[in-house]
Amino acid sequence: MMHHLKQSCGTGYVSLIFFLSAIVNTASSITHYSIPEEMEEGSVVANLAADLRLDVKTLNERKMRVDVVANKKYLDINKVTGELFILERIDREFLCPSKTTSYCVLKLDATIENPVRMFNIEVEITDINDNSPHFRRGTMHLDISESSPVGERFSLNNAADPDVGTNSVKNYHLSSSEHFSVEIQTGRDGTKFADLILKKPLDREKQAVHNLILTAVDGGVPTRTGTASIIVRVLDVNDNAPSFEKGKYVVDVMENSPIGSLVIKLNATDVDEGSNSEIVYSYSLYTSERTQKMFNLNPENGEIRVKEMINYEDLKLYEMEVIASDKGPNSLSGQCKLTIQVTDMNDNHPEISIKSFQSPIKEDTPTDTVIAVVSVSDKDSGDNGIVDLHIPEKMPFKLRESSDNYFELVVSEPLDREKVPEYDITFTVTDRGSPPLSDNETMTLELLDVNDNVPQFPQSFYTIRVMENNAPGALLSSLTAFDPDLHENQYLVYFIIEKEIANTSMSMLFSINPENGNLYALKTFDYEIEEEFLFHIEARDSGSPPLSSNVTVHIIIVDQNDNAPVIVSPWRAHGSVVEEKIPRSTDKGSLVAKVIALDTDSVHNSRITYQFLQVTDATLFSLDQYNGEIRTMRMFSYRDPRHQRLVVVAKDNGEPALSATVTIKLTTMETAVKAYSDMTEEPLEYDIFSDINLYLVIGLGSVSFLLLITILVTIVIKCQKPKPSKAAPPSRNSVISERNSTIADSTLVSNDAYWYSLFLAETRKGKLVVRQPLPKGSRYIVSSIPRGTGLTDTSDSAASTLQYPK
């Protein structure tokens, strides 16, 4: 029934509960608890079931609940233990914001059913010191007159503290100040107020603003504080009189000074502010009318200016007294005395006369040579009649007094026309009057040139790059020298200093225009024959005696890609196909052939790369683009054709690139190739040396390709001479094949893997292997040449050979 009423009646159910509670327990009392604010959530207030004498075991069955008479449910009951615990943190200042009383109560209604009973519970929330005092305004401004008496009070804003009792504001402290202190006042409601007390007279001129800190302290444990700034601005009173920097001034004024000229500006200061510091200047009664007639005093800025023309002969001295008054309510004033002394005027200018002046002169004129005589004079007397003669500083001349008022101008330093071709010499004569008067005379001194400068090239060393295959007569560069002298001393002629290179004079290779220094090439240069030239060019002037200088010229011949690669291995007759035989049982990765090409161009242009142009089966062979090695990528299968055609192109690194091709026809055999172990008395080292130094081969070929042909022809001629029947002793550096050979040219390796293995073995030992044909074609010889000395070094030494009879 109760459940039905709760669902159907809504809020009326609560009224029914109160009605039933009154019936069941009309004499119920109020249970009171007291707890501090800000307790942690879950904190136990008391065992409510025990205090109400209820059986804990029936709380859940009897549906016991606690309703808080407030906006939030701060407390709840644990139906298992019967304990009343904190459900939400309680803030006493929020719950009871009024400070009229420190008593703050949270009312609860505890209800159980079967039978229905209601219990009234009051939980008193006691205050803790959880709030600091604070001022409604963080900064307070006070304006206090500097004439305020000691002991005067000034009210300050009080601090507020939401806490109550001893936790509220109890005291105020003022930061250290020699002029102010604070006094505590208590209101009728117990609120603490603070009054600011003036304890020492103020002086605005010493300190215009006082910055103070007021601190409010509560009575909690531990105490809490709050602060506010107090800015006291001291208001000015007219308590300071204007004052001058000096009590007496003495100034000099020149006679005939222009009317309106400033004599002196008097400056009085007043440390007050506002109208109390504004100053007015005036003459005192002690100043004569004649003085006031000669000089005008500006009342606003204190300037004293000439009012009438001053004559030294009329009066030499003027005295006056000036008063400075402020504009305060009770005006204060100060005064000073001023003495004006009239100075006699220097009104005669000195005179200068040039008696003799020699111009032009040679730039090699010796020092101490007299070039001018000058006289000076002045009609004034005393200091105004004493004169001094000067010429500009930093000139290679000086004045030397020869007699009274006569001076000689002499050379003091060596002259150089190339630096300064002429001098404008200003003679300035000045008297010693006050102010001094002066006069000047300017003379121009010209310098004549002498041949004292050698021709100069902009650079001491010229590097000129010339592309090979140049046209004869081509302009290479303009080597122009400069001579700072004049006329014939600066006319230059250019020569090539003779030097012979390989019985060839430089004048046969190069030509220079003797007038402008243009350098020309007389022939076409070939980088492969000559890479550079070093010679000197002389520039000679036409002075007397002539002077000359020379410069070093370095001609660098720049390579063009004008030589195509030449395939030297595998060797083949012109236009023929290279045929190689390999067994079909060759393993994967086996070396089939090696293509080697040489290029006589420079290192950059002769860098060669290899690639397949045509290949019968691209899956069967691989070509290393750098060393030209052709290897099997897999083993031969029965499906692979017996004949394989490989076209390899060797391309250089020039621009545009040049290339050469070779065609290799491979024939696979079912049986292995016959071993050649019996061809030498001493077995070869058969190491596989796959990473041959490509750059070494290129370098050797590029430097000595032409010499190599000469060497090979020489060896062929020597081989055609009759040889003794006795065979030469065996050597590791040479091998003779018993094959019949029809080779018409020499090559680096043979046409089979054996010769390439021999090439690798000898190359690893630092030697270059060369196969050479014999005249009758019955056999061929392989020679090893030391690699370190280059091909040119082997032309005079016979290669080590082994001869093998038919």
Side-chain angles (χ1 to χ4, degrees), residues 371-634:
I371 58 177
V373 176
V374 181
S375 67
V376 293
S377 62
D378 194 320
K379 295 178 182 179
D380 290 326
S381 59
D383 289 342
N384 295 334
I386 300 176
V387 295
D388 298 304
L389 183 64
H390 304 280
I391 59 173
E393 295 181 355
K394 298 182 179 179
M395 278 193 171
F397 309 102
K398 65 180 179 179
L399 289 170
R400 183 170 61 194
E401 189 172 3
S402 58
S403 61
D404 290 343
N405 295 332
Y406 276 83
F407 296 88
E408 294 177 343
L409 180 67
V410 298
V411 178
S412 62
E413 298 176 10
L415 304 177
D416 190 347
R417 188 209 60 81
E418 287 71 34
K419 293 181 179 179
V420 183
E422 65 179 23
Y423 292 91
D424 290 329
I425 305 174
T426 300
F427 297 93
T428 302
V429 58
T430 306
D431 63 23
R432 298 183 185 180
S434 180
L437 299 179
S438 63
D439 194 10
N440 60 72
E441 185 81 22
T442 300
M443 304 296 291
T444 299
L445 175 65
E446 296 181 6
L447 300 183
L448 298 177
D449 182 56
V450 296
N451 191 24
D452 57 348
N453 290 279
V454 299
Q456 299 175 359
F457 285 92
Q459 301 172 216
S460 61
F461 190 92
Y462 285 86
T463 299
I464 303 173
R465 298 182 179 273
V466 180
M467 187 68 67
E468 69 170 328
N469 303 320
N470 60 290
L475 176 64
L476 304 183
S477 181
S478 181
L479 308 178
T480 304
F482 171 73
D483 193 323
D485 292 324
L486 291 178
H487 308 305
E488 67 276 1
N489 296 332
Q490 71 171 173
Y491 296 149
L492 302 181
V493 180
Y494 299 90
F495 306 91
I496 295 179
I497 300 178
E498 288 298 335
K499 176 183 178 182
E500 289 189 357
I501 298 179
N503 297 325
T504 301
S505 173
M506 284 293 104
S507 60
M508 298 177 64
L509 301 177
F510 303 97
S511 172
I512 190 167
N513 189 318
E515 295 182 358
N516 57 23
N518 288 344
L519 183 66
Y520 300 91
L522 297 182
K523 60 169 291 185
T524 300
F525 297 109
D526 189 347
Y527 171 83
E528 286 72 29
I529 297 177
E530 192 67 53
E531 296 183 6
E532 61 180 7
F533 300 93
L534 192 68
F535 56 92
H536 299 282
I537 290 179
E538 179 182 308
R540 183 183 305 163
D541 64 24
S542 302
S544 180
L547 301 177
S548 64
S549 64
N550 61 70
V551 67
T552 303
V553 180
H554 184 203
I555 303 293
I556 298 177
I557 308 302
V558 180
D559 181 48
Q560 282 186 334
N561 191 27
D562 55 349
N563 292 282
V566 176
I567 296 180
V568 297
S569 175
W571 179 91
R572 85 279 188 214
H574 181 70
S576 63
V577 177
V578 178
E579 294 186 0
E580 297 286 350
K581 295 181 180 181
I582 59 174
R584 293 185 68 86
S585 59
T586 301
D587 292 334
K588 173 184 177 181
S590 299
L591 178 67
V592 175
K594 180 180 178 68
V595 179
I596 298 177
L598 296 179
D599 193 321
T600 58
D601 288 321
S602 63
V603 176
H604 176 75
N605 292 329
S606 65
R607 190 177 297 121
I608 297 176
T609 56
Y610 305 88
Q611 64 185 50
F612 280 129
L613 194 60
Q614 294 180 9
V615 59
T616 303
D617 189 347
T619 66
L620 188 55
F621 301 101
S622 66
L623 171 62
D624 191 303
Q625 65 173 334
Y626 297 112
N627 60 24
E629 292 182 353
I630 301 175
R631 294 181 179 273
T632 56
M633 296 174 63
R634 59 178 175 82

